[in-house]
């Protein structure tokens, strides 16, 4: 398992494509930002999916941490990822 | 990732954008990453359609439905990834062979008693005197050998569980009176917690059995049920002390659950929504805890232990390798 944070910058009318794709794996925490635990296999799927989707001038960055325990995460205000297993 | 998702809101649950979305009655939309999901537990009043069901089938995600009185109402299981006629044949043969069935039934009871004992020992060392209960449990376990029928074996399990439950009134703080196991419906806070916890263990084991080619309705200790997955009942007994009961003690003794988290109804007492949420969160956290597994030579989560148990049973049935039930070793 690895913990990843994904941020993307795309043409405004195309952002929903990326969101739709990433939501299958990650928790949407802010506009154009998702995070969560994934397997190495899923990370590979995310990488190729992201790469395929981008047009010139657009970008996506994946920050990868070896485990959720290695992340020190400070949230101000409401945490959108709090209790995301409980809806 | 094998996450369980719990939905407490009322509303709709549906397929949306190739994943799962909950639209609550308040109009809030929440997404659930389907790729990480092992199972979705529905506690609220939710509507869904066939499109949702086929999508989860395709993704291999199970849905466990909880109804009135926190009762486990049933599961929508994905189609089997595993099918093996040979496994079913061997599973039924073992059931049909009285000696073999009895041996397996005893193994389940033996493991359950060990795991109850492990909880009692923990509290025995923390200011309580449970020497007599430990002896009773040990006697029950020792008497297993002499039992010649399933009924007698069941009797031993009942006797052990009664002794085990007798410690609850002492371990739990004032305000939480237990006074023996009651269900259908539970009559007080403690019974309601036990019922809810046990149903979560049961549902998780239903998922674990599905990962093997075993048939969940063919069981050994419990009589194969008409409507229940009785093999899940056999295996659940092993894990209730580790999962369901430890969570109860932890939450109640730390004051994270109080009598405000329950509602009394006509001669029943049930967790309210906040209480169920608190319990499920602590329960999921427990499932994620990991432990060094000496046989597998790696760290595994408690949740994975459930699956290991199903694999062990299957292996026993197929190869004859001895089935050693889960016994807490740490």
């Amino acid at each position: 398992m690895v913990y990843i944070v994904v941020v993307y910058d795309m043409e405004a009318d195309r952002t929903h494509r990326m969101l739709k794709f990433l939501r299958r794996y990650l928790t949407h925490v802010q506009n154009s930002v998702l995070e969560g635990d994934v397997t190495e296999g899923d990370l590979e799927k995310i990488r190729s999916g992201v790469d395929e989707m981008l047009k010139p001038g657009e970008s996506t960055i994946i920050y990868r941490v070896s485990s959720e325990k290695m992340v020190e995460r400070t949230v101000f205000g409401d945490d959108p990822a709090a209790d995301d297993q409980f809806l | 990732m094998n996450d369980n998702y719990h939905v407490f809101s009322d509303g709709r649950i549906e397929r949306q954008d190739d994943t799962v979305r909950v639209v609550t009655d308040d109009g809030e939309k929440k997404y659930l990453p389907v790729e990480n999901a092992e199972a979705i537990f529905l506690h609220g009043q939710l509507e869904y359609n066939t499109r949702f069901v086929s999508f989860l089938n395709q993704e291999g995600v199970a849905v466990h439905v909880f109804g009135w009185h926190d009762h486990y109402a049933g599961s929508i299981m994905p189609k089997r990834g595993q099918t093996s006629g040979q496994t079913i044949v061997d599973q039924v043969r073992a059931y049909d062979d009285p000696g073999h069935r009895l041996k397996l039934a005893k193994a389940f009871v033996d493991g359950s008693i060990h795991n109850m004992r492990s909880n009692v020992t923990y509290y025995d060392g923390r200011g309580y005197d449970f020497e007599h209960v430990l002896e009773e449990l040990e006697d029950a376990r020792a008497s297993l050998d002499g039992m010649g029928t399933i009924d007698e074996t069941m009797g031993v399990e009942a006797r052990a569980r009664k002794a085990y439950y007798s410690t609850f009134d002492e371990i739990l703080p004032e305000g939480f009176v237990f006074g023996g196991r009651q269900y259908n419906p539970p009559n007080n806070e403690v019974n309601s917690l036990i019922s809810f916890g046990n149903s979560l263990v049961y549902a998780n084991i239903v998922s674990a059995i599905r990962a093997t080619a075993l048939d969940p309705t063919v069981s050994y200790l419990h009589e194969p049920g008409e409507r229940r997955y009785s093999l899940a009942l056999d295996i659940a007994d092993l894990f209730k002390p580790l999962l369901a009961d430890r969570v109860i003690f932890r939450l109640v003794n730390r004051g994270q659950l109080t009598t405000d988290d329950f509602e009394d109804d006509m001669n029943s007492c049930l967790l309210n929504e906040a209480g169920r949420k608190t319990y499920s969160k602590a329960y999921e956290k427990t499932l994620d805890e990991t432990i060094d597994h000496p046989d597998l030579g790696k760290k595994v989560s408690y949740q994975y232990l459930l699956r290991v148990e199903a694999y062990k049973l299957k292996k026993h049935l197929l190869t004859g390798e001895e089935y050693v039930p889960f016994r807490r070793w740490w």
Side-chain angles (χ1 to χ4, degrees):
Chain A
M1 292 306 277
V2 288
Y3 194 77
I4 61 171
V5 179
V6 182
V7 300
Y8 57 89
D9 194 354
M10 298 172 79
E11 287 171 19
D13 57 343
R14 287 171 29 85
T15 52
H16 67 276
R17 296 176 189 222
M18 187 63 84
L19 179 59
K20 171 181 160 171
F21 169 68
L22 293 174
R23 251 190 190 138
R24 307 185 56 187
Y25 303 89
L26 301 163
T27 307
H28 184 213
V29 285
Q30 287 187 358
N31 287 341
S32 316
V33 184
L34 295 97
E35 63 181 61
D37 256 326
V38 292
T39 60
E40 292 281 359
D42 280 347
L43 177 56
E44 227 19 77
K45 284 188 209 158
I46 292 172
R47 280 188 173 134
S48 52
V50 163
D51 198 27
E52 243 166 63
M53 219 176 297
L54 294 174
K55 289 209 315 198
E58 297 176 337
S59 68
T60 295
I61 306 173
I62 301 178
Y63 297 93
R64 170 202 165 128
V65 194
S66 56
S67 141
E68 193 179 353
K69 293 186 182 88
M70 306 293 284
V71 191
E72 194 185 312
R73 199 165 163 279
T74 314
V75 180
F76 300 90
D78 290 331
D79 184 353
D83 298 333
D84 51 355
Q85 258 177 287
F86 306 89
L87 310 175
Chain B
M1 194 71 178
N2 295 309
D3 271 341
N4 292 319
Y5 290 85
H6 293 260
V7 184
F8 293 94
S9 330
D10 295 343
R12 281 191 64 71
I13 184 160
E14 57 194 16
R15 172 183 184 165
Q16 177 67 39
D17 292 344
D18 286 330
T19 191
V20 174
R21 174 170 84 172
V22 176
V23 183
T24 68
D25 283 344
D26 313 334
E28 217 187 318
K29 290 172 183 157
K30 301 167 183 172
Y31 287 82
L32 185 159
V34 74
E35 297 286 340
N36 298 346
E38 155 119 4
I40 306 174
F41 290 65
L42 304 184
H43 302 274
Q45 301 291 316
L46 289 141
E47 285 174 24
Y48 55 79
N49 58 23
T50 48
R51 203 167 147 260
F52 169 74
V53 173
S54 359
F55 178 60
L56 290 188
N57 180 40
Q58 172 199 318
E59 298 289 325
V61 178
V63 177
H64 301 300
V65 181
F66 290 80
W68 186 238
H69 284 177
D70 303 336
H71 259 320
Y72 168 79
S75 302
I76 308 165
M77 302 298 291
K79 70 176 182 300
R80 285 177 175 281
Q82 294 279 341
T83 44
S84 151
Q86 193 56 49
T87 306
I88 307 282
V89 169
D90 287 337
Q91 194 186 348
V92 175
R93 276 203 184 124
Y95 167 78
D96 232 11
D97 170 349
H100 197 166
R101 179 181 175 191
L102 187 62
K103 204 166 165 228
L104 281 171
K106 284 181 180 178
F108 287 124
V109 176
D110 185 89
S112 306
I113 296 180
H114 175 94
N115 296 321
M116 291 185 231
R117 208 172 178 286
S118 145
N119 275 3
V120 178
T121 308
Y122 175 87
Y123 283 99
D124 186 55
R126 273 167 187 70
Y128 298 95
D129 180 15
F130 290 142
E131 203 48 51
H132 58 290
V133 178
L134 290 172
E135 272 167 31
E136 175 79 17
L137 288 176
E138 199 39 58
D139 279 356
R141 211 185 61 79
S143 73
L144 264 184
D145 274 348
M147 299 300 145
T149 66
I150 296 290
D151 268 357
E152 286 168 11
T153 309
M154 274 286 209
V156 174
E157 135 86 23
R159 175 184 155 199
R161 212 160 273 278
K162 192 160 180 250
Y164 170 63
Y165 281 142
S166 76
T167 62
F168 280 39
D169 264 320
E170 283 188 64
I171 296 170
L172 296 170
E174 209 141 328
F176 280 85
V177 183
F178 176 43
R181 184 79 178 110
Q182 286 272 333
Y183 45 95
N184 258 343
N187 62 339
N188 58 35
E189 286 84 0
V190 184
N191 271 303
S192 132
L193 283 169
I194 295 175
S195 291
F196 189 59
N198 287 352
S199 66
L200 293 182
V201 174
Y202 174 83
N204 271 290
I205 290 174
V206 170
S207 289
I209 292 174
R210 190 57 159 216
T212 70
L214 291 169
D215 188 305
T217 60
V218 178
S219 53
Y220 302 100
L221 174 61
H222 295 81
E223 211 47 62
E226 294 275 318
R227 284 161 303 158
R228 297 183 304 175
Y229 291 137
S230 38
L231 184 60
L233 294 175
D234 283 1
I235 299 177
D237 277 352
L238 295 169
F239 289 95
K240 286 171 186 173
L242 172 74
L243 298 171
D245 302 342
R246 289 302 280 265
V247 171
I248 297 175
F249 296 146
R250 206 176 303 147
L251 290 175
V252 172
N253 284 334
R254 291 181 189 168
Q256 287 166 278
L257 270 180
T258 68
T259 46
D260 292 342
D261 291 303
F262 298 83
E263 50 203 48
D264 282 304
D265 202 18
M266 298 226 298
N267 50 38
S268 72
C269 175
L270 296 164
L271 276 162
N272 62 24
E273 190 183 323
R276 260 179 274 170
K277 227 174 188 162
T278 307
Y279 188 94
S280 313
K281 274 184 202 170
Y283 178 84
E284 287 298 331
K285 231 176 121 191
T286 309
L287 280 181
D288 284 343
E289 273 176 44
T290 55
I291 184 77
D292 275 318
H293 198 294
D295 298 338
L296 300 177
K298 59 173 180 183
K299 263 188 174 327
V300 298
S301 66
Y302 286 10
Q303 168 138 345
Y304 193 70
L305 286 179
L306 306 181
R307 209 176 266 202
V308 169
E309 207 56 24
Y311 288 142
K312 267 161 45 183
L313 184 62
K314 179 181 168 189
K315 192 163 184 207
H316 162 76
L317 294 168
L318 285 175
T319 69
E321 186 180 300
E322 198 196 350
Y323 170 68
V324 182
F326 163 70
R327 291 193 183 94
R328 192 182 167 128
W329 66 82
W330 61 96

